[in-house]
Amino acid sequence: MRVGVLTGGGDCPGLNAVIRAVVRKGVQRYDYEFLGYKDGWRGPLQGRATRLDIPAVRGILPRGGTVLGSSRTNPFNEADGVRRIKDNLAKDRVDALIAIGGEDTLGVAARLCAEYGIRCVGVPKTIDNDLSATDYTFGFDTAVNIATEAIDRLHTTAESHMRVLVVEVMGRHAGWIALHSGMAGGANVILIPEHRFDLDEVCGWVTSRFRASYAPIVVVAEGAMPKDGDLVLKNAAAEDAFGHVRLSGVGEWLAGEIERRTGKEARTIVLGHVQRGGTPSAFDRWLATRFGLHAISAVRDGDFGTMVALRGTDIVRVPLGEATARLKTVPADRYEEAKVLFG
Amino acid sequence: MRVGVLTGGGDCPGLNAVIRAVVRKGVQRYDYEFLGYKDGWRGPLQGRATRLDIPAVRGILPRGGTVLGSSRTNPFNEADGVRRIKDNLAKDRVDALIAIGGEDTLGVAARLCAEYGIRCVGVPKTIDNDLSATDYTFGFDTAVNIATEAIDRLHTTAESHMRVLVVEVMGRHAGWIALHSGMAGGANVILIPEHRFDLDEVCGWVTSRFRASYAPIVVVAEGAMPKDGDLVLKNAAAEDAFGHVRLSGVGEWLAGEIERRTGKEARTIVLGHVQRGGTPSAFDRWLATRFGLHAISAVRDGDFGTMVALRGTDIVRVPLGEATARLKTVPADRYEEAKVLFG
Amino acid sequence: MRVGVLTGGGDCPGLNAVIRAVVRKGVQRYDYEFLGYKDGWRGPLQGRATRLDIPAVRGILPRGGTVLGSSRTNPFNEADGVRRIKDNLAKDRVDALIAIGGEDTLGVAARLCAEYGIRCVGVPKTIDNDLSATDYTFGFDTAVNIATEAIDRLHTTAESHMRVLVVEVMGRHAGWIALHSGMAGGANVILIPEHRFDLDEVCGWVTSRFRASYAPIVVVAEGAMPKDGDLVLKNAAAEDAFGHVRLSGVGEWLAGEIERRTGKEARTIVLGHVQRGGTPSAFDRWLATRFGLHAISAVRDGDFGTMVALRGTDIVRVPLGEATARLKTVPADRYEEAKVLFG
Amino acid sequence: MRVGVLTGGGDCPGLNAVIRAVVRKGVQRYDYEFLGYKDGWRGPLQGRATRLDIPAVRGILPRGGTVLGSSRTNPFNEADGVRRIKDNLAKDRVDALIAIGGEDTLGVAARLCAEYGIRCVGVPKTIDNDLSATDYTFGFDTAVNIATEAIDRLHTTAESHMRVLVVEVMGRHAGWIALHSGMAGGANVILIPEHRFDLDEVCGWVTSRFRASYAPIVVVAEGAMPKDGDLVLKNAAAEDAFGHVRLSGVGEWLAGEIERRTGKEARTIVLGHVQRGGTPSAFDRWLATRFGLHAISAVRDGDFGTMVALRGTDIVRVPLGEATARLKTVPADRYEEAKVLFG
């Protein structure tokens, strides 16, 4: 048996841990061979692969990123994409594929499996934790830890200068990172994409915090929007003198508004890519390793068209199609639960 | 409504986060008053308490340990213990108690509630993660992170000197910390109390690792035992010249045996108390905060005799008695799952 | 003897460690009393102070920020400033002042001491490490550690996506943070204010890195400027739709230029306030503690008008005036030393 | 020009950073070739070497340990040692050697250079920071950071249970790690090898701490000794049932004595190998990188028989012989300086 492995979409701490676990178990327990396709779906499309054996995965468990590289290439958007993939898999004598990725990468796997008979098993990956089929995805815990550490650091600056600090974290469509890091970091306001915020209410929380002689930290997901959000987006995009389009993030915009309305100094910190790089947390290494161990078992069992997922403390298999069907957003009651700590 | 809060047993990162969440929500949402009893059950027994209001819980979220102090005092072992507790609660006009602790502390709460009508809600705490009623307890993730970081550091020393390093982690009765940190840290052998180990097999893994020119890390829970374990315990206890009884830990003993049998240099590192102190991980702060928010809601609902617990991503209530009935140990299949990575 | 203490300017990890050391030694060894003035020079100006004794400084050693608060208030810019300070010191029966701060704060202390006979001892503080009288200032090592950790995290993202990552770190006038964190993080290009950079040369290093199939990290101090820098600054300031003036940082501008010129995707990360908050590194706690211990000894010795400073591993006293006379920038040979690692 | 590189003695964070800097500068600036000898002096003795070029040193900057391996082999203790080294260097066409190591490794280099004309440049390495020729050695800052973090974590445990915690850190002959981490961690007592301690005085500090209702942390260097120390060493060594010689460390012994004399519970934590492994701190990477850059310049300049050293912020060259002549211990006045914070 020869198995191909690929990683697609944005990088995420834990990808290498999945690859290592797949190869270690596949080689030692089942005597399989492995081929690592480079840069997501671009790899099998262009026939770019590298041999994966046990020495090749040595030492990669604690390393962020992916040794296989990644891309957002979608073979369904490429001329003759599916046929080229089938040809390359045949040429490489690859019997099955393990695709590690998010909605897009797994969506391709689901179609290739269902419509074209390519034998795929999926491993879910999204730093945003927004796949409905699994309790958690790896990378998320690392991102939350990094954001929480940053919030910890910012508290002392906010207090020393009696300033508002606005921390913009990842989360375009789902507010999980903001919710978890905001709760863990003791933020005074948490704003998420699922719930359009009211600027007056935000300023009320900020002001009440100062009244108790403390300085507030506002955590805002990059996709959070005010109630009059369309206006914002229209205006915040601007072209600079060198022709670069500059998009004012919600964090910077929000700090400006808070300053204008409350008269308190406000500063923004955009955590950005730091959240998604570097060594995975212990939880993410454990989850990614278990995902890898179970993914190769699914291959062994011939259980194609499935994806591994975490439910409680169990790893289960779910249909690939279901996995990507629905975005997992923060439910209203979970946001309400946190809101009692605002202000 | 006036609510008493106490923390019992060994300290654990996240205790302060529970206290803060209880008080913040209780005061802001329900307008309750709070009394913090000092040093576990010794507090209500001796009537030692301190007022808990919002300023009192400020800034404690990221701090390890417990601002209330802790003890292993059991009122059922004290003369007239229950009556003294009832008297002190009455004197303090405390209507309900939130007890944060492990098996022992919650066992007392269960009996006081069931047999003596004292209105208690429990919050589970064990760094070992061995309570069967909840998927996770806070403190565990922090301990696993610390142990994993230590293992990360030790890999380079092992490799540089081609030595075996034996890392002894916490876990007298359950191997969760060893299992999770061992998997996350890429240990080559993991030994847990649930499964008596075979020294020959351990030495086999160690030797095979050297054969591949790497140096092995062995993670061993403090409660792990060899197949001929009784012999070991009898001999390892010794009295030193000053009359201190010295118990040789399993880690040190194991390193000695490995060295003797394989001829490879072996060293032991006992992580000890470092695992249970200091700032909680983001996960533990989030879990502890949610436990606190739900515990005070249980008080509000008059749902006494219950304990909060994590199931998947939900916080639920379970009967206090059930909570402490059964130790949650590592199931055989979970250990098997990890074993494919040994050697 | 009663001694006043104040902290001025931007917050910096280690301020609390200085305060604690001053008070611990002053009380225990010399039996002094202490008054903490709030918010830098605004404190003695407005007579706002708090008693500092040993319980008041308990537990503050590892905490970032300053328990005394800070400001940029300059009494020489305030009506009747000096007289109000003298009156308040007299009213508070304060015999000497320890001023902890940067160029501005210490400049005030120097003048108050030299021109008005107010007995001052200074402790140097600048996260940028740009005071010529001392080998290092506390806060700097912490900032470098944080920036280095961020660069570590970003390497894996850069590699996984074959992108240029531009990291903007603090340093308006001196490039020490960029130089140290860039060297420690293995950056491929380091740009500092002391040396105007050539965009073509920067793009050459970036391209050569890709040619070796790696992805580059560019570390740029916020004050670094291209050879045609005036043009940039003029254009990068823009007003957004809400009337906030937005200044495009050099990092974002540089990423845009690199992308345009090399055709490689480039992203910016602005570390910002995260660099200056949170718990100090061990080095900074040690240095700040020693500064505090020696500052109170200078008071004891009546050695006013001086500032403590680090020379090698010794703490020495230098005249306050000298201390702030000249900015310590990165010498050309130190930049050359690092340059061999570029590309 | 072909240059050999070797690392000897105990591993230390920063060794790889030196190797990388040597090779990067040597190849890029001087067009040298490099050979990495394996396992310290055993490498040239046995002719075991590996080619070092730029790809070979890629990514090793942040990694602890040494990619070249290490040993304590001393060619002067081997039959025909010097001749075999000379033969192997000739066979490998190696013109000069860079030896990275401590007293022993550099002592060999000094003799080989002075007595046998082998062209050597030294880079000092000792995690204990006890070489008199240099202000700091790399690895030390990392060790101090790790020990300080551990002390931070232990404070909350000590407070929660009102226990004495004794932390044993590295330092057989010099107390630098204990002094720096103890000061940075806010230890209540620091005991170092340079100053025999008085148990009564230690117990006095411990008791006074409890009187102020706090719990003490005692930091003790592994080489610290009580005034009646000979007695201790004689008794603390014991043989266990399996024939392993067990030496009771000073930490464990001290905790026992404190418990016996003060009646307070005391626990020991031995940090051990965790202090010397893992990724170097930013300071250590910076120092090690600069040492490497300057060592290869010394080779270029033909300045053999020298060692690089840090003086203030400058890297200088000192004679190899001088470098290892005298142990740098903690001077009495530096210990006195810290002592005001005890109790």
Side-chain angles (χ1 to χ4, degrees):
Chain A
M1 184 85 161
R2 179 178 276 209
V3 181
V5 182
L6 63 83
T7 55
D11 71 313
C12 188
L15 287 167
N16 287 325
V18 178
I19 297 167
R20 168 185 173 267
V22 161
V23 172
R24 290 276 310 249
K25 183 168 183 180
V27 170
Q28 285 175 217
R29 177 88 27 119
Y30 305 136
D31 208 27
Y32 288 174
E33 289 184 348
F34 289 91
L35 217 55
Y37 283 105
K38 303 292 288 177
D39 301 336
W41 289 110
R42 198 190 294 150
L45 202 62
Q46 303 181 347
R48 292 171 49 241
T50 178
R51 182 70 187 280
L52 283 179
D53 50 16
I54 287 187
V57 299
R58 201 202 159 209
I60 68 173
L61 167 64
R63 284 170 50 198
T66 162
V67 292
L68 294 177
S70 188
S71 75
R72 301 196 184 277
T73 301
N74 184 333
F76 290 104
N77 299 338
E78 305 285 324
D80 229 9
V82 175
R83 195 195 45 76
R84 285 158 63 199
I85 285 184
K86 293 195 80 160
D87 287 357
N88 281 321
L89 296 180
K91 183 172 63 71
D92 293 336
R93 290 178 300 107
V94 161
D95 305 294
L97 266 182
I98 292 180
I100 312 166
E103 225 179 330
D104 295 341
T105 305
L106 297 184
V108 169
R111 281 190 65 190
L112 287 179
C113 193
E115 300 173 21
Y116 300 91
I118 295 178
R119 307 200 297 173
C120 292
V121 164
V123 175
K125 179 233 60 159
T126 147
I127 209 156
D128 292 329
N129 198 34
D130 57 0
L131 283 180
S132 56
T134 184
D135 280 1
Y136 291 104
T137 45
F138 59 85
F140 170 67
D141 184 64
T142 304
V144 170
N145 272 312
I146 295 170
T148 301
E149 259 179 61
I151 298 169
D152 279 0
R153 292 200 169 274
L154 295 170
H155 272 293
T156 53
T157 293
E159 297 294 344
S160 299
H161 296 284
M162 280 293 155
R163 265 181 204 156
V164 185
L165 290 181
V166 176
V167 187
E168 186 182 308
V169 300
M170 288 188 305
R172 247 178 245 287
H173 306 296
W176 292 109
I177 291 178
L179 181 71
H180 280 237
S181 66
M183 286 181 81
N188 307 105
V189 183
I190 301 170
L191 304 175
I192 60 175
E194 291 85 344
H195 184 89
R196 290 204 164 214
F197 60 84
D198 183 285
L199 255 177
D200 289 330
E201 199 183 23
V202 170
C203 290
W205 285 317
V206 162
T207 307
S208 87
R209 186 79 185 160
F210 278 112
R211 218 175 293 126
S213 3
Y214 310 139
I217 303 274
V218 177
V219 172
V220 56
E222 60 187 329
M225 297 249 277
K227 286 197 168 149
D228 54 351
D230 300 344
L231 173 69
V232 177
L233 283 189
K234 193 170 78 260
N235 288 320
E239 211 166 302
D240 74 13
F242 295 87
H244 312 137
V245 176
R246 315 273 321 291
L247 185 72
S248 167
V250 65
E252 206 171 339
W253 174 84
L254 184 62
E257 285 302 308
I258 289 173
E259 200 165 294
R260 201 168 60 107
R261 289 170 183 231
T262 66
K264 299 287 182 183
E265 242 189 314
R267 294 280 184 281
T268 314
I269 296 90
V270 181
L271 291 185
H273 285 80
V274 174
Q275 293 162 89
R276 69 182 322 129
T279 195
S281 70
F283 182 92
D284 282 339
R285 295 188 200 177
W286 166 87
L287 178 58
T289 296
R290 293 190 72 201
F291 274 175
L293 297 177
H294 284 257
I296 193 65
S297 296
V299 169
R300 169 72 172 191
D301 296 347
D303 207 357
F304 299 108
T306 62
M307 178 187 94
V308 293
L310 180 72
R311 296 277 169 83
T313 60
D314 295 324
I315 309 292
V316 299
R317 295 174 195 164
V318 299
L320 256 176
E322 192 183 290
T324 59
R326 201 167 48 80
L327 199 70
K328 183 178 67 180
T329 52
V330 176
D333 63 331
R334 288 290 298 280
Y335 190 57
E336 277 308 309
E337 180 189 292
K339 236 170 150 176
V340 69
L341 300 167
F342 288 10
Chain B
M1 183 83 160
R2 178 178 278 209
V3 182
V5 183
L6 64 85
T7 56
D11 71 312
C12 188
L15 287 168
N16 287 325
V18 178
I19 297 167
R20 168 184 173 266
V22 162
V23 172
R24 290 276 310 249
K25 184 169 183 179
V27 171
Q28 286 175 216
R29 177 86 28 118
Y30 304 135
D31 208 26
Y32 288 174
E33 290 183 349
F34 289 90
L35 217 55
Y37 283 105
K38 302 292 289 180
D39 301 336
W41 288 111
R42 198 189 296 152
L45 203 61
Q46 304 181 346
R48 292 173 47 242
T50 178
R51 182 70 186 281
L52 284 179
D53 51 15
I54 287 188
V57 299
R58 199 201 161 210
I60 68 172
L61 167 64
R63 284 169 51 197
T66 163
V67 292
L68 295 177
S70 187
S71 75
R72 300 196 185 278
T73 300
N74 184 331
F76 290 104
N77 299 338
E78 305 284 325
D80 227 11
V82 175
R83 195 196 45 76
R84 285 158 64 197
I85 285 185
K86 292 195 82 159
D87 287 355
N88 281 321
L89 295 180
K91 184 173 61 73
D92 293 336
R93 289 179 298 108
V94 161
D95 303 296
L97 266 182
I98 293 180
I100 312 166
E103 226 179 327
D104 296 340
T105 305
L106 297 184
V108 170
R111 281 190 64 189
L112 287 178
C113 193
E115 301 174 18
Y116 300 90
I118 296 177
R119 308 200 297 173
C120 292
V121 164
V123 175
K125 178 233 64 160
T126 145
I127 208 156
D128 292 329
N129 198 35
D130 57 0
L131 283 180
S132 56
T134 183
D135 279 3
Y136 291 104
T137 45
F138 59 85
F140 171 68
D141 183 64
T142 304
V144 171
N145 272 312
I146 295 170
T148 302
E149 258 178 59
I151 298 169
D152 279 0
R153 293 201 169 272
L154 295 170
H155 272 294
T156 53
T157 292
E159 298 294 344
S160 299
H161 295 283
M162 280 294 156
R163 264 184 206 154
V164 184
L165 291 181
V166 175
V167 187
E168 187 183 308
V169 300
M170 287 188 305
R172 246 177 247 286
H173 306 295
W176 292 109
I177 292 178
L179 181 71
H180 280 237
S181 66
M183 287 181 81
N188 307 105
V189 182
I190 301 170
L191 304 176
I192 60 175
E194 292 86 344
H195 185 88
R196 292 205 163 213
F197 59 84
D198 183 285
L199 255 177
D200 289 329
E201 199 183 21
V202 170
C203 291
W205 285 318
V206 162
T207 307
S208 88
R209 186 80 185 162
F210 278 112
R211 219 176 291 124
S213 357
Y214 311 138
I217 303 275
V218 177
V219 172
V220 56
E222 59 187 329
M225 297 249 276
K227 286 194 169 152
D228 53 351
D230 300 343
L231 173 70
V232 177
L233 283 188
K234 193 169 77 258
N235 288 320
E239 210 167 302
D240 73 13
F242 295 88
H244 314 135
V245 176
R246 317 275 318 292
L247 186 71
S248 167
V250 65
E252 205 170 339
W253 175 84
L254 185 61
E257 285 302 308
I258 290 173
E259 200 164 295
R260 201 167 62 108
R261 290 170 182 233
T262 66
K264 299 288 181 184
E265 243 190 311
R267 294 280 185 280
T268 314
I269 296 89
V270 181
L271 292 185
H273 284 79
V274 174
Q275 293 162 88
R276 67 181 323 129
T279 194
S281 71
F283 181 91
D284 282 339
R285 296 188 200 177
W286 165 86
L287 178 57
T289 297
R290 291 190 73 201
F291 274 174
L293 298 176
H294 283 259
I296 193 65
S297 296
V299 169
R300 170 71 170 190
D301 296 348
D303 206 357
F304 299 108
T306 61
M307 177 187 93
V308 293
L310 179 73
R311 296 277 168 83
T313 61
D314 294 324
I315 309 291
V316 300
R317 295 176 195 162
V318 298
L320 256 177
E322 192 181 289
T324 58
R326 201 166 49 79
L327 199 70
K328 182 178 68 180
T329 52
V330 176
D333 62 331
R334 288 290 296 282
Y335 190 57
E336 277 309 309
E337 179 188 294
K339 234 168 150 177
V340 70
L341 301 166
F342 290 9
Chain C
M1 184 85 161
R2 178 178 277 209
V3 182
V5 183
L6 62 84
T7 55
D11 70 313
C12 188
L15 287 167
N16 287 325
V18 179
I19 298 167
R20 166 184 173 268
V22 161
V23 173
R24 291 276 309 250
K25 184 168 182 180
V27 170
Q28 286 175 214
R29 177 87 27 120
Y30 306 135
D31 207 26
Y32 287 176
E33 289 185 348
F34 290 90
L35 217 55
Y37 283 105
K38 303 292 289 177
D39 301 337
W41 288 111
R42 198 189 296 150
L45 203 62
Q46 304 182 347
R48 291 172 47 244
T50 177
R51 181 70 186 280
L52 283 179
D53 49 16
I54 288 189
V57 300
R58 197 198 162 212
I60 68 173
L61 167 65
R63 284 169 51 196
T66 162
V67 292
L68 295 177
S70 187
S71 75
R72 301 197 184 278
T73 300
N74 184 333
F76 291 102
N77 300 338
E78 306 285 324
D80 227 11
V82 175
R83 196 197 43 76
R84 285 159 63 199
I85 285 185
K86 292 193 82 158
D87 287 356
N88 282 320
L89 295 181
K91 183 173 62 71
D92 294 337
R93 291 177 298 107
V94 161
D95 305 295
L97 265 182
I98 293 181
I100 312 166
E103 226 180 327
D104 295 341
T105 305
L106 297 184
V108 168
R111 282 191 64 190
L112 288 179
C113 194
E115 301 173 19
Y116 300 91
I118 296 178
R119 308 200 297 172
C120 290
V121 165
V123 176
K125 178 233 61 161
T126 145
I127 208 155
D128 291 328
N129 198 35
D130 57 1
L131 284 180
S132 56
T134 184
D135 280 1
Y136 291 104
T137 44
F138 58 85
F140 171 67
D141 184 64
T142 304
V144 170
N145 272 313
I146 295 171
T148 301
E149 259 178 60
I151 297 169
D152 278 359
R153 293 202 168 273
L154 295 170
H155 271 294
T156 54
T157 293
E159 297 294 344
S160 300
H161 296 283
M162 281 293 154
R163 266 182 203 156
V164 185
L165 291 181
V166 175
V167 187
E168 186 183 309
V169 300
M170 288 188 304
R172 245 176 248 286
H173 306 295
W176 292 110
I177 292 178
L179 181 72
H180 280 237
S181 66
M183 285 181 82
N188 308 104
V189 183
I190 300 170
L191 305 175
I192 60 176
E194 291 86 344
H195 184 88
R196 291 205 165 215
F197 60 84
D198 183 285
L199 254 176
D200 290 329
E201 197 183 25
V202 169
C203 290
W205 285 317
V206 161
T207 306
S208 88
R209 185 81 185 159
F210 277 113
R211 218 177 290 125
S213 0
Y214 311 139
I217 304 274
V218 177
V219 171
V220 56
E222 60 187 329
M225 296 250 278
K227 287 194 167 149
D228 53 350
D230 300 345
L231 174 69
V232 178
L233 283 190
K234 194 169 80 258
N235 287 319
E239 211 168 299
D240 74 12
F242 295 87
H244 313 136
V245 176
R246 314 278 317 293
L247 184 72
S248 169
V250 65
E252 205 170 340
W253 175 83
L254 184 63
E257 285 303 306
I258 290 173
E259 199 164 296
R260 201 166 62 107
R261 288 169 184 232
T262 66
K264 299 288 181 183
E265 243 188 312
R267 295 279 183 283
T268 315
I269 296 88
V270 181
L271 291 185
H273 285 79
V274 173
Q275 292 162 91
R276 70 182 321 130
T279 195
S281 70
F283 181 92
D284 283 339
R285 296 189 200 176
W286 166 86
L287 178 58
T289 296
R290 292 189 73 201
F291 273 175
L293 297 176
H294 284 258
I296 192 66
S297 295
V299 168
R300 170 71 171 191
D301 295 347
D303 206 356
F304 299 108
T306 61
M307 176 186 94
V308 293
L310 180 73
R311 295 276 169 84
T313 60
D314 293 324
I315 309 291
V316 300
R317 295 175 195 163
V318 298
L320 256 176
E322 193 183 288
T324 58
R326 199 167 48 82
L327 199 70
K328 182 179 68 179
T329 53
V330 177
D333 62 331
R334 287 291 297 280
Y335 190 58
E336 276 309 309
E337 178 189 294
K339 235 169 149 175
V340 69
L341 299 167
F342 289 10
Chain D
M1 184 84 163
R2 178 178 278 208
V3 181
V5 183
L6 63 84
T7 54
D11 70 312
C12 187
L15 287 168
N16 287 324
V18 178
I19 298 168
R20 167 185 174 266
V22 162
V23 173
R24 290 276 309 249
K25 184 169 183 181
V27 171
Q28 286 175 213
R29 177 86 30 118
Y30 305 135
D31 208 26
Y32 287 176
E33 288 185 349
F34 289 91
L35 217 54
Y37 283 105
K38 303 292 290 180
D39 301 336
W41 288 110
R42 198 189 295 151
L45 204 61
Q46 304 182 345
R48 292 171 49 242
T50 177
R51 181 71 187 281
L52 283 179
D53 50 16
I54 288 189
V57 299
R58 197 201 164 211
I60 68 174
L61 167 64
R63 283 170 51 196
T66 161
V67 293
L68 294 177
S70 188
S71 75
R72 301 196 184 275
T73 300
N74 184 333
F76 291 103
N77 300 337
E78 306 284 323
D80 227 11
V82 176
R83 195 198 43 76
R84 285 158 64 197
I85 285 185
K86 293 194 83 158
D87 287 355
N88 281 320
L89 296 181
K91 184 175 60 76
D92 293 336
R93 290 177 298 108
V94 161
D95 304 295
L97 266 182
I98 293 181
I100 313 166
E103 225 180 327
D104 295 340
T105 306
L106 298 184
V108 169
R111 283 189 65 189
L112 287 179
C113 195
E115 302 173 18
Y116 300 91
I118 296 178
R119 309 202 295 175
C120 292
V121 165
V123 175
K125 177 234 64 161
T126 145
I127 208 157
D128 292 327
N129 197 35
D130 56 2
L131 284 181
S132 56
T134 183
D135 280 2
Y136 291 105
T137 45
F138 58 86
F140 171 66
D141 184 63
T142 303
V144 171
N145 272 312
I146 294 171
T148 302
E149 259 179 59
I151 298 169
D152 279 0
R153 292 199 169 275
L154 295 170
H155 271 294
T156 53
T157 292
E159 297 294 345
S160 300
H161 295 283
M162 280 294 156
R163 264 182 205 156
V164 184
L165 291 181
V166 175
V167 187
E168 186 183 308
V169 301
M170 288 188 305
R172 246 176 248 286
H173 306 295
W176 293 109
I177 292 178
L179 181 72
H180 280 238
S181 66
M183 286 181 80
N188 307 106
V189 183
I190 301 170
L191 304 175
I192 61 175
E194 291 86 344
H195 184 88
R196 290 204 165 214
F197 59 84
D198 183 286
L199 254 177
D200 290 330
E201 198 183 22
V202 170
C203 290
W205 285 318
V206 162
T207 307
S208 87
R209 186 78 184 161
F210 277 113
R211 219 177 292 124
S213 357
Y214 311 139
I217 304 273
V218 177
V219 172
V220 57
E222 59 186 330
M225 297 250 278
K227 285 192 170 153
D228 53 351
D230 300 343
L231 173 70
V232 177
L233 284 188
K234 195 170 76 257
N235 289 319
E239 211 166 300
D240 73 12
F242 295 89
H244 313 136
V245 175
R246 316 275 318 291
L247 185 71
S248 168
V250 65
E252 206 171 339
W253 175 84
L254 185 62
E257 284 303 308
I258 290 174
E259 200 165 294
R260 201 166 62 107
R261 289 170 183 233
T262 66
K264 299 287 182 184
E265 243 188 311
R267 294 279 183 280
T268 315
I269 296 89
V270 181
L271 291 185
H273 285 80
V274 174
Q275 293 162 89
R276 69 183 319 130
T279 195
S281 70
F283 181 92
D284 282 338
R285 297 188 200 177
W286 165 87
L287 178 58
T289 296
R290 291 189 73 202
F291 273 174
L293 297 175
H294 284 258
I296 193 64
S297 295
V299 169
R300 170 71 171 191
D301 296 348
D303 207 356
F304 299 108
T306 62
M307 178 188 92
V308 293
L310 181 73
R311 296 276 168 86
T313 61
D314 294 324
I315 310 291
V316 299
R317 294 175 197 163
V318 299
L320 255 177
E322 192 183 289
T324 58
R326 202 167 47 79
L327 198 70
K328 183 179 68 179
T329 52
V330 176
D333 63 331
R334 287 290 298 282
Y335 190 57
E336 276 309 308
E337 178 189 293
K339 235 169 149 175
V340 69
L341 300 167
F342 289 9

